[in-house]
């Protein structure tokens, strides 16, 4: 049996973050949704039902019996057991939406379902980009328990200052932390394998610093913050999620934000996360094709993969940046920056596609990650169609 992740109706809701990935490949907490479900359910390989142009990179399901699941939620122990115990033809439904089903992909049809069980308990669902930072503390807590149960943390060097309970700090093998302060009274702190917290950093949980990532000298990190693998963060951040392979390495503030992969924020880049009138923030919604009220007072920056901001860039509250945009002009950029924007202002010319390939290949090569033909084709599709 194979594990199949479905984007269902959610893929468009998470744009621009899902222009380059299925919903299951987004990160929140310590893990991606895909990684989390693999650990919970014990599957070594997964496949995806996603947009056609993404299926070349993200493995299609085989035509065989499958556990089919919508991935963007955190299960209770009871719900997890219900998913594990599903028999062929049985499905779980939450608020009239299919949550999980055991089915044969060779004849994918709801007619295969002979038993549907409604989930009556409240389920923590992620429905939009802002949920990734809004619910990040709950996700960090969930993943911390999943990853550290019955394991022993590496010791914290005595050069550091520590506040809180030691059980709420976990340091993986190879991580380096010296002459910094860590406070777990406000939330758990997880430091991944071979990660580094440089001297003078102040960490106030909940925080996840993933494998091979770094907090640069003197960084001030407020929770709930996740820094995905192979990333660098400096300056001041508060309640952000970085998917991975991205840098905000210098001074400047970013809060209540989600940043994709292969992004770079230049020195002294700042993102406002609160309007001057304290009103709720509106954010561009690609499905509705208009700005919608988030219901939140604090919203900063949502940035798609491969986008870059020059030094001293000043982002307005509630700014959405598409894929492979280059923001470098003076003044505040608009609240919506198009895919492949060359400059960041409305009406600017598009970044030439061949140049976008060149930059992506160079950036990924620095991390020894190949820029594949599949990556090239995804960027071309986005360039042509969006």
């Amino acid at each position: 049996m194979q594990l199949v992740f479905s984007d269902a109706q959610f893929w468009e809701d998470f744009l621009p973050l899902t222009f380059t990935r299925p919903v299951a490949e987004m990160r929140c907490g310590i893990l991606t949704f895909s990684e989390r479900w693999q650990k919970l359910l014990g599957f070594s390989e997964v496949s995806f039902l996603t947009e056609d142009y993404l299926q070349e990179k993200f493995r299609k399901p085989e035509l065989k019996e499958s556990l089919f699941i919508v991935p963007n939620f955190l299960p209770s122990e009871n719900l997890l057991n219900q998913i594990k115990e599903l028999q062929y033809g049985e499905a779980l439904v939450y608020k009239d939406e299919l949550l999980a089903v055991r089915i044969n992909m060779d004849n994918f049809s709801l007619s295969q379902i002979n038993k549907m069980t409604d989930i009556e308990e409240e389920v923590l669902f992620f429905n939009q980009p802002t949920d990734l930072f809004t619910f990040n503390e709950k996700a960090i807590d969930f993943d911390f328990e999943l990853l550290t149960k019955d394991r022993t943390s590496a010791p914290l060097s005595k050069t550091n200052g520590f506040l809180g309970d030691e059980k709420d700090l976990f340091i993986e093998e190879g991580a380096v932390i010296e002459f910094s302060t860590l406070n777990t009274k406000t939330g758990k702190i997880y430091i991944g394998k071979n990660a580094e917290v440089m001297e003078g950093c102040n960490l106030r949980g909940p925080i996840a610093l993933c494998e091979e990532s770094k907090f640069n000298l003197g960084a001030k990190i407020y929770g709930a913050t996740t820094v995905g693998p192979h990333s660098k963060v400096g300056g001041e951040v508060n309640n952000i999620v970085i998917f991975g392979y991205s840098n905000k390495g210098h001074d400047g503030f970013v809060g209540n934000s989600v940043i994709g992969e292969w992004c770079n924020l230049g020195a002294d880049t700042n993102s406002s996360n609160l309007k001057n009138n304290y009103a709720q923030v509106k954010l561009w919604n690609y499905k509705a094709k208009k700005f919608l009220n988030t219901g939140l007072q604090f919203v900063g920056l949502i940035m798609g993969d491969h986008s870059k901001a020059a030094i001293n860039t000043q982002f307005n509250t509630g700014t959405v940046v598409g894929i492979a945009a280059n923001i470098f002009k003076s003044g505040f950029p608009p609240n919506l920056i198009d895919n492949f924007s060359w400059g960041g202002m409305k009406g600017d010319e598009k970044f030439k596609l061949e140049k976008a390939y060149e930059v992506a290949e160079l950036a990924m090569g620095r991390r020894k990650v190949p820029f594949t033909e599949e990556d090239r084709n995804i960027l071309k599709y986005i360039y042509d169609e969006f």
Side-chain angles (χ1 to χ4, degrees):
M1 188 168 66
Q2 66 182 337
L3 180 59
V4 179
F5 295 123
S6 170
D7 284 352
Q9 77 279 22
F10 291 104
W11 180 82
E12 200 172 5
D13 294 322
F14 283 101
L15 295 175
L17 302 170
T18 46
F19 272 130
T20 49
R21 60 176 56 79
V23 169
E25 292 295 273
M26 296 190 301
R27 186 177 303 276
C28 183
I30 303 171
L31 304 168
T32 65
F33 289 105
S34 173
E35 291 169 342
R36 184 177 299 115
W37 282 110
Q38 284 182 264
K39 290 184 178 295
L40 289 170
L41 298 173
F43 284 82
S44 59
E45 292 186 358
V46 298
S47 56
F48 304 86
L49 275 180
T50 184
E51 300 297 299
D52 288 344
Y53 78 93
L54 294 173
Q55 290 284 194
E56 184 182 356
K57 179 176 180 178
F58 298 95
R59 183 170 173 249
K60 292 182 180 179
E62 297 178 29
L63 301 181
K64 63 181 183 181
E65 186 175 340
S66 306
L67 178 57
F68 174 96
I69 192 165
V70 174
N72 45 305
F73 68 95
L74 297 180
S76 65
E77 185 175 351
N78 178 60
L79 179 52
L80 180 61
N81 288 333
Q82 287 181 275
I83 293 170
K84 289 179 176 179
E85 293 168 4
L86 282 173
Q87 300 300 307
Y88 180 80
E90 294 182 348
L92 300 176
V93 177
Y94 180 68
K95 294 185 177 180
D96 298 323
E97 296 289 347
L98 191 66
L99 197 67
V101 61
R102 191 163 165 181
I103 201 169
N104 196 321
M105 297 300 294
D106 188 32
N107 180 28
F108 186 76
S109 169
L110 296 183
S111 63
Q112 293 185 56
I113 301 174
N114 54 49
K115 181 182 178 182
M116 300 182 74
T117 301
D118 285 316
I119 302 301
E120 296 182 356
E121 66 179 271
E122 283 297 315
V123 178
L124 181 57
F125 244 97
F126 297 77
N127 295 289
Q128 56 193 352
T130 54
D131 289 346
L132 298 174
F133 64 76
T134 300
F135 302 140
N136 197 37
E137 179 172 5
K138 294 182 184 299
I140 288 175
D141 287 348
F142 189 99
D143 291 346
F144 190 96
E145 175 66 19
L146 179 64
L147 292 173
T148 68
K149 187 176 182 181
D150 299 324
R151 297 178 61 215
T152 301
S153 169
L156 178 66
S157 168
K158 295 187 183 303
T159 66
N160 297 287
F162 179 74
L163 292 171
D165 194 321
E166 290 184 1
K167 69 178 177 58
D168 293 327
L169 171 67
F170 197 92
I171 304 170
E172 295 283 4
E173 178 185 356
V176 176
I177 313 169
E178 300 289 353
F179 290 97
S180 292
T181 67
L182 296 85
N183 183 357
T184 63
K185 285 187 173 182
T186 51
K188 296 175 171 59
I189 296 177
Y190 174 88
I191 308 296
K193 184 178 179 181
N194 297 328
E196 182 178 8
V197 179
M198 295 185 184
E199 303 92 300
C201 292
N202 296 306
L203 278 59
R204 188 178 179 87
I207 291 169
L209 181 67
C210 297
E211 183 173 348
E212 298 279 354
S213 285
K214 296 182 180 183
F215 286 139
N216 286 348
L217 286 166
K220 294 174 283 189
I221 314 296
Y222 297 87
T225 286
T226 292
V227 177
H230 303 276
S231 300
K232 296 178 182 178
V233 170
E236 181 181 3
V237 300
N238 177 20
N239 189 202
I240 72 168
V241 175
I242 295 177
F243 284 177
Y245 298 95
S246 290
N247 293 333
K248 182 226 167 286
H250 305 284
D251 284 345
F253 171 78
V254 176
N256 305 96
S257 298
V258 184
I259 297 169
E261 294 184 338
W262 311 111
C263 297
N264 189 74
L265 303 183
D268 201 33
T269 291
N270 289 275
S271 174
S272 169
N273 63 342
L274 176 67
K275 297 180 73 171
N276 286 351
N277 62 2
Y278 296 87
Q280 292 182 349
V281 180
K282 291 183 178 181
L283 200 66
W284 179 256
N285 184 286
Y286 286 85
K287 181 188 284 187
K289 295 181 173 57
K290 62 181 179 180
F291 288 91
L292 296 180
N293 194 339
T294 63
L296 301 173
Q297 193 176 50
F298 292 91
V299 179
L301 173 68
I302 308 296
M303 178 177 275
D305 288 5
H306 295 286
S307 287
K308 313 288 192 291
I311 61 170
N312 298 315
T313 301
Q314 308 296 310
F315 288 108
N316 280 297
T317 311
T319 294
V320 174
V321 180
I323 301 300
N326 283 263
I327 303 108
F328 56 79
K329 290 188 175 179
S330 61
F332 283 91
N335 290 83
L336 173 63
I337 299 172
D338 293 336
N339 296 326
F340 297 94
S341 173
W342 182 249
M345 296 300 183
K346 187 175 181 179
D348 281 339
E349 64 179 304
K350 291 178 77 171
F351 189 26
K352 290 181 172 57
L353 187 57
E354 289 298 326
K355 288 293 184 180
Y357 292 157
E358 183 181 317
V359 173
E361 187 168 15
L362 287 169
M364 295 171 73
R366 294 178 67 204
R367 298 287 190 271
K368 296 181 172 55
V369 176
F371 179 60
T372 65
E373 191 64 26
E374 290 87 352
D375 294 320
R376 181 183 295 263
N377 291 340
I378 287 171
L379 289 183
K380 185 178 189 308
Y381 187 90
I382 297 167
Y383 190 91
D384 291 340
E385 299 297 327
F386 298 104

